[in-house]
Amino acid sequence: MGKATRRWLFADQLGDHFLDSPDQPVLLVEARSVLRRRRFHRQKAHLVLSALRHRAAELGDQAVFARTRTYGEALDRVKGELSVCQPTSHAALAFVSGLEGVAVLPARGFTTSQEDFAAWAAGRGRHRLLMEDFYREARRRLDVLMEGDEPVGGRWNFDADNREPPPPRGLGIPAPWCPEEDEIDAEVRRDLDRWERDGEVSFVGRDAPRAFPATRGEAAEALAHFVAHRLPAFGPHQDAMLSGDRVMAHSMLSPALNLGLLDPMECVRAAETAYRRGRAPLAGVEGYVRQLIGWRDYIWHLYWHLGPDYRDENLLAAHTPLPRWFAELDADAVEARCLSWALAQVRDHGFTHHIVRLMVLGNYALQRGFDPRQLSDWFHRCFVDGYDWVMTPNVVGMSQHADGGVLATKPYAASGAYINRMSDFCGECRYRPNRRTGDDACPYTTGYWSFIARNADRMAANPRMARSVYGMRKLADIDEVREHEAARGDAPP
């Protein structure tokens, strides 16, 4: 194939590690049809177009930059053979695989190859594809946080040390790295404004200054800032939430990773080096490493391993359409403080950290039986780091338990007591986390027991949920709880 073959880079393949040589000719395509197909968050559209246009400006004459209505129109402008690294969605892979003169190469941007994953998964049934097993094998193979054949510190997983509630006065660490917009961002904003004004596209969420890296240089700065200033505090409170600190010590690097501006192994090695030099504690570094070579790669490979029909799994028979207030990010319509805050974060930033996604937004949806495919699409569109491969397994499997336990051995359903323990939301909320009925009953507490009752037969067969079913059956007011929840319907809580 050689250096002369032009490399087609999708907008989530923007790093140098997607090229075979620094001078390889490149094709970049900005196809407006992508924005027409879905109502993306305004800030997500801005970030992707900004990153794509910045990459085109960096490459200069090395790249053909086609700004067209469709990908097909762009391909008509290019002469000669093309190569492309495997795209990140089933639909995109099917599209490029059907094109003459386009060679599809193995995926890049992940730490485990598809061949290595296939070897690991061989002989394991769907319910034995355990992330912890995958993670340990990856640690050994990649020699990350290892001393010979044993994990550093004598433990593979420090998750038990990383579940502390939030400190009352906050973490006291520097704010995340933030970019300065430039003329390319101004051009993107003018174009998005015009397209929306002309009715060509429509967005959810609010516009705001770009908050995430759009270039390789910016991404490297953001990584260095995180490792130096935030990684040391990341571990203990990574599952905590604070109303006055929307990002805690999280890296905020997932958008850059998912655009291909960072190679995950450089993030891993930077964190590992910080530990070995005594600049960050092992528990936090291990937790961060697990997110990268464990969870991120695991989700990527399950997306392909489980196939395109996985998005339609719905073993809890959850068919409730997303209410308009939820779908449109109408935080002001919601009185429950944690949920209102979470929706406002998505509306204003296109981002929340993982525990808000799982235990506030996802938990509420799970309790009410929101359709998992609709919910997955909502997360895909509304989050700046959301892609089909990211959100389909995370939402269908992890968050909504629609796969019956392939990704997670229990549903991530919790009452208001969990949110009260892990956040500061409940103190000033009109609802009380310990109340199941009445005007001040917490929607999460009412919703939790209603969810258990609705799925009691299935949950009773799950060893990790049987105790909750037993507790539900001892509640004298469970019928009243379910009536209270039913009376709310799809109205905002």
Side-chain angles (χ1 to χ4, degrees), residues 113-398:
S113 70
Q114 289 182 306
E115 291 77 13
D116 284 336
F117 182 85
W120 172 80
R124 298 171 186 255
R126 275 169 51 105
H127 291 270
R128 292 299 303 165
L129 299 169
L130 301 181
M131 198 283 286
E132 184 66 22
D133 293 347
F134 170 77
Y135 167 61
R136 293 184 186 190
E137 191 278 334
R139 283 266 298 272
R140 293 187 184 98
R141 176 169 38 80
L142 298 168
D143 192 25
V144 174
L145 292 176
M146 298 293 292
E147 290 181 346
D149 294 331
E150 298 299 321
V152 169
R155 291 164 57 187
W156 290 102
N157 188 318
F158 287 81
D159 196 39
D161 298 345
N162 295 335
R163 297 172 180 169
E164 295 184 16
R169 294 181 177 84
L171 297 180
I173 58 175
W177 174 92
C178 191
E180 293 184 9
E181 289 195 355
D182 58 15
E183 179 52 38
I184 290 178
D185 288 298
E187 178 195 49
V188 168
R189 184 165 283 106
R190 289 192 297 268
D191 286 345
L192 293 176
D193 285 343
R194 185 178 71 257
W195 298 341
E196 190 170 26
R197 188 169 56 247
D198 293 346
E200 288 189 66
V201 297
S202 177
F203 300 109
V204 295
R206 296 176 176 174
D207 189 21
R210 177 167 60 84
F212 300 96
T215 69
R216 165 63 192 173
E218 289 182 343
E221 288 182 18
L223 172 60
H225 184 278
F226 166 67
V227 172
H229 300 293
R230 303 173 64 77
L231 178 61
F234 171 70
H237 306 288
Q238 64 180 273
D239 283 356
M241 300 172 282
L242 277 174
S243 58
D245 186 348
R246 67 184 183 86
V247 297
M248 303 295 283
H250 294 272
S251 74
M252 307 289 282
L253 295 174
S254 56
L257 279 160
N258 293 351
L259 285 168
L261 298 173
L262 291 171
D263 186 312
M265 277 309 297
E266 71 177 308
C267 301
V268 168
R269 296 305 182 195
E272 183 179 28
T273 298
Y275 161 70
R276 294 192 183 278
R277 293 179 178 175
R279 297 172 182 170
L282 177 58
V285 170
E286 185 278 318
Y288 180 63
V289 164
R290 182 159 21 96
Q291 289 186 346
L292 289 168
I293 69 172
W295 193 253
R296 184 175 184 269
D297 261 51
Y298 175 72
I299 288 294
W300 160 260
H301 286 292
L302 284 189
Y303 174 82
W304 297 103
H305 184 77
L306 296 173
D309 293 338
Y310 179 78
R311 71 183 67 251
D312 294 317
E313 297 208 9
N314 194 350
L315 294 184
L316 295 183
H319 298 293
T320 302
L322 270 60
R324 183 175 179 82
W325 57 267
F326 190 99
E328 299 294 328
L329 310 177
D330 188 1
D332 295 334
V334 178
E335 293 184 275
R337 189 168 179 236
C338 61
L339 182 57
S340 176
W341 182 90
L343 286 173
Q345 298 307 308
V346 184
R347 178 195 66 197
D348 297 343
H349 306 287
F351 189 90
T352 69
H353 64 76
H354 77 275
I355 205 65
V356 180
R357 303 184 196 200
L358 183 62
M359 300 310 301
V360 178
L361 298 167
N363 186 18
Y364 189 86
L366 174 65
Q367 291 178 1
R368 274 126 203 108
F370 287 2
D371 184 280
R373 179 162 181 162
Q374 288 186 23
L375 187 67
S376 180
D377 178 69
W378 180 84
F379 272 98
H380 176 176
R381 294 183 295 103
C382 292
F383 281 75
V384 293
D385 59 353
Y387 294 84
D388 195 52
W389 72 267
V390 176
M391 294 306 180
T392 299
N394 267 308
V395 175
V396 172
M398 182 71 171

